[in-house]
């Protein structure tokens, strides 16, 4: 588990650094640019969920079949995942590029913020096919246990993005041009990460076995989608709540938009350990379920929940104590500092619940038990995430703190539902039924 989780931890850190660096660089140049890129960044994350659905579905199936020692089927699933990601990535890229103005307008952005957001969004979505292919190839590397190599790809992507982002503001012209250069830096980083990932796949002899018949391709595609789409929709309910929250922030003030971006960039480091262990546990549980070792999976889950609860508490405590120095990296706005105490205090609750949901939700995903959790998480995301953000943030006029209170409530519901579903034991029968 540690051999899987530790590389994922470093990979998560470097992935988070991309957003952190871009926000830090822009905050010293234009707070309007921060609001624009941060707002559309949540929409880009929504689009990436389409690839996440495919990569998650493929990784669950591949892990199960590797655990059952069905090597040929696992290689065929690699081929199916790559083909699907390329096709859907190209389609989304074309549609979103030409519909960029309409999509960004849904976020209630106006004036200069709107212009900057569209400029940034167009460049990022034009390269969605790169993100799609990288997503599935990284998932394949993890399934085969080569998590150390995914770290190298993340490091290269982060270094390229950081260097180019710094150059973007070192030689500024207009704000629009700087924002476009920041977007290009992110794309160049993704491209370098993809090339290195392709190199590792070839060097490690991870082969994709071409599916011989159209019927077999459709059957394997159905398997990938049956496992991946519910898992992605489950995560999508959470990401959608973030998008809706971002669209509500302009109703408070421009400072609220920037504050939300800054807080998220800091608080994302509170759960890097639980996220990494949860992701590793998904692969580990998939292997164990494929081999029929269910008692082993239960023991691992109980141990990991204790570890993640302690880790999330300590990290969120550190962020709370050092919130002012951390925020001072981005801004000197006194209003943003004033909101921070309540937001970071609320995050204590969110991180405790997130520690539980990361382990149980991801282990259920690894076992292939995704449909029930999809429904539960969508309901939680809408009622607690979106509805709560409007009720607490707008109706009760709690502002930004209300948005994060809604997120905490959503995380608590996710944790309760995932533990309940795991204890029913339904997940033990998924792979056996699928194989039959």
């Amino acid at each position: 588990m540690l051999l899987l989780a530790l590389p994922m931890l470093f990979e998560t850190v470097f992935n988070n650094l991309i957003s952190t660096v871009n926000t830090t660089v822009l905050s010293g140049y234009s707070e309007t640019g921060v609001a624009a890129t941060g707002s559309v960044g949540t929409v880009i994350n929504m689009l990436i969920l389409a690839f996440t659905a495919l990569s998650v579905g493929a990784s669950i199936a591949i892990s199960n079949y590797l655990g059952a020692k069905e090597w040929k089927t696992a290689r065929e699933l690699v081929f199916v995942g790559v083909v699907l990601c390329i096709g859907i990535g190209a389609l989304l890229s074309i549609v979103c590029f030409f519909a960029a103005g309409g999509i960004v307008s849904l976020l209630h952005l106006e004036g200069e913020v709107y212009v900057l957001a569209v400029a940034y969004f167009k460049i990022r979505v034009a390269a969605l096919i790169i993100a799609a292919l990288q997503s599935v190839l990284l998932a394949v590397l993890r399934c085969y246990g080569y998590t150390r190599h995914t770290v190298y790809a993340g490091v290269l992507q982060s270094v390229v993005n950081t260097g180019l982002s710094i150059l973007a503001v070192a030689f500024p012209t207009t704000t629009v041009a700087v924002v476009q250069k920041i977007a290009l830096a992110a794309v160049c980083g993704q491209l370098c990460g993809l090339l290195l990932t392709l190199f590792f796949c070839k060097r490690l002899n991870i082969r994709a076995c071409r599916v011989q018949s159209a019927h077999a391709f459709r059957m394997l595609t159905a398997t990938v989608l049956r496992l991946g789409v519910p898992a992605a929709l489950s995560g999508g309910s959470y990401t959608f709540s973030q998008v809706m929250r971002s669209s509500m922030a302009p109703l408070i003030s421009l400072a609220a938009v920037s504050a939300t971006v800054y807080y998220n960039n800091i608080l994302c480091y509170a759960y890097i350990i639980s996220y990494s262990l949860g992701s590793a546990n998904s692969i580990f549980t998939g292997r164990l379920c494929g081999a029929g070792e269910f008692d082993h999976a239960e023991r691992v889950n109980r141990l990991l929940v204790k570890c993640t609860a302690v880790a999330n508490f300590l990290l969120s405590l550190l962020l709370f104590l050092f919130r002012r120095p951390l925020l001072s990296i981005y801004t000197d706005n006194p209003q943003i500092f004033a909101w921070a105490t309540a937001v970071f205090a609320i995050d204590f609750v969110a991180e405790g619940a997130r520690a539980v949901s990361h382990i149980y939700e991801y282990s259920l995903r690894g076992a292939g038990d995704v449909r029930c959790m999809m429904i539960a998480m969508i309901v939680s995301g809408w009622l607690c995430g979106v509805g709560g953000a409007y009720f607490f943030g707008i109706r009760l006029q709690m502002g930004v703190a209300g948005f994060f209170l809604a997120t905490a409530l959503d995380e608590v519901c996710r944790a309760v539902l995932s533990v309940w579903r795991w204890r029913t034991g339904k997940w033990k029968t998924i792979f056996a039924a699928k194989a039959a």
Side-chain angles (χ1 to χ4, degrees):
M1 179 61 69
L2 287 177
L3 290 175
L4 284 173
L6 284 176
M8 287 185 177
L9 174 63
F10 288 107
E11 183 184 351
T12 303
V13 170
F14 284 107
N15 285 338
N16 288 347
L17 280 175
I18 295 174
S19 175
T20 301
V21 168
N22 289 347
T23 302
T24 304
V25 169
L26 272 176
S27 65
Y29 181 79
S30 169
E31 192 162 289
T32 305
V34 172
T37 57
S39 296
V40 296
T42 55
V43 180
I44 294 170
N45 289 337
M46 282 285 293
L47 296 173
I48 290 176
L49 280 173
F51 319 134
T52 302
L54 299 175
S55 60
V56 166
S59 65
I60 293 172
I62 291 170
S63 295
N64 286 167
Y65 282 108
L66 287 176
K69 302 187 186 311
E70 297 186 25
W71 318 115
K72 184 176 183 294
T73 305
R75 289 196 296 268
E76 288 176 339
L77 284 163
V78 174
F79 175 80
V80 170
V82 169
V83 171
L84 291 177
C85 275
I86 291 175
I88 294 178
L91 177 63
L92 281 178
S93 182
I94 294 170
V95 172
C96 293
F97 181 84
F98 290 104
I103 294 173
V104 174
S105 66
L106 297 175
L107 299 176
H108 302 142
L109 303 178
E110 298 177 348
E112 185 184 5
V113 181
Y114 172 82
V115 173
L116 296 176
V118 171
Y120 181 84
F121 185 73
K122 279 189 171 183
I123 293 175
R124 291 298 305 274
V125 298
L128 280 177
I129 192 170
I130 298 175
L133 189 54
Q134 186 182 20
S135 175
V136 69
L137 291 178
L138 289 175
V140 169
L141 284 173
R142 296 187 194 101
C143 289
Y144 280 87
Y146 296 116
T147 51
R148 176 167 55 91
H149 298 79
T150 65
V151 177
Y152 300 149
V155 171
L156 178 62
Q157 180 174 337
S158 180
V159 169
V160 171
N161 175 78
T162 301
L164 294 179
S165 296
I166 293 173
L167 288 175
V169 296
F171 303 100
T173 51
T174 64
T175 305
V176 174
V178 169
V179 167
Q180 289 175 328
K181 290 176 184 177
I182 294 291
L184 285 171
V187 171
C188 289
Q190 287 179 329
L191 179 59
C192 291
L194 172 61
L195 293 175
L196 186 58
T197 304
L198 287 168
F199 169 76
F200 285 140
C201 287
K202 182 175 178 60
R203 182 182 178 185
L204 297 169
N205 198 30
I206 295 179
R207 293 182 295 160
C209 181
R210 185 174 180 179
V211 182
Q212 297 301 317
S213 67
H215 174 71
F217 185 88
R218 287 195 299 270
M219 294 297 292
L220 291 175
T221 299
T223 299
V224 171
L225 295 178
R226 184 173 66 248
L227 295 171
V229 171
L233 289 176
S234 173
S237 66
Y238 178 79
T239 306
F240 183 73
S241 70
Q242 290 185 312
V243 173
M244 293 300 293
R245 186 179 66 187
S246 297
S247 69
M248 295 178 198
L251 301 178
I252 301 174
S253 66
L254 179 60
V257 179
S258 300
T260 302
V261 176
Y262 297 147
Y263 298 153
N264 284 332
N265 269 280
I266 295 172
L267 293 174
C268 68
Y269 291 95
Y271 54 85
I272 55 173
I273 292 179
S274 67
Y275 176 79
S276 302
L277 285 172
S279 299
N281 193 35
S282 178
I283 297 172
F284 199 62
T285 301
R287 291 287 191 99
L288 293 174
C289 288
E293 299 182 21
F294 304 118
D295 291 340
H296 192 174
E298 290 182 323
R299 291 196 301 272
V300 170
N301 266 24
R302 288 194 294 268
L303 175 62
L304 290 181
V305 165
K306 297 175 184 177
C307 296
T308 54
V310 173
N312 280 20
F313 172 78
L314 292 177
L315 287 174
S316 59
L317 177 61
L318 285 173
L319 294 178
F320 178 81
L321 295 175
F322 294 97
R323 63 190 182 281
R324 294 190 69 85
L326 291 171
L327 280 171
S328 65
I329 298 173
Y330 301 109
T331 182
D332 57 1
N333 189 323
Q335 183 62 71
I336 294 177
F337 282 95
W339 291 331
T341 301
V343 169
F344 281 65
I346 291 170
D347 189 63
F348 274 117
V349 179
E351 298 310 330
R354 191 178 275 125
V356 177
S357 64
H358 272 164
I359 298 303
Y360 282 100
E361 185 181 347
Y362 279 62
S363 58
L364 286 168
R365 180 183 297 180
D369 188 2
V370 289
R371 293 184 182 178
C372 178
M373 291 308 299
M374 173 195 71
I375 297 172
M377 299 313 176
I378 289 177
V379 172
S380 176
W382 273 93
L383 292 181
C384 301
V386 179
Y390 175 76
F391 179 74
F392 295 123
I394 306 300
R395 296 290 295 178
L396 296 185
Q397 299 182 351
M398 294 177 64
V400 178
F403 295 164
F404 281 87
L405 180 59
T407 298
L409 184 60
D410 183 23
E411 290 295 342
V412 170
C413 289
R414 283 171 173 267
V416 172
L417 292 169
S418 59
V419 171
W420 164 78
R421 182 62 180 179
W422 178 264
R423 289 182 176 176
T424 63
K426 300 288 186 182
W427 54 275
K428 298 179 182 180
T429 64
I430 300 296
F431 181 69
K434 180 178 64 178

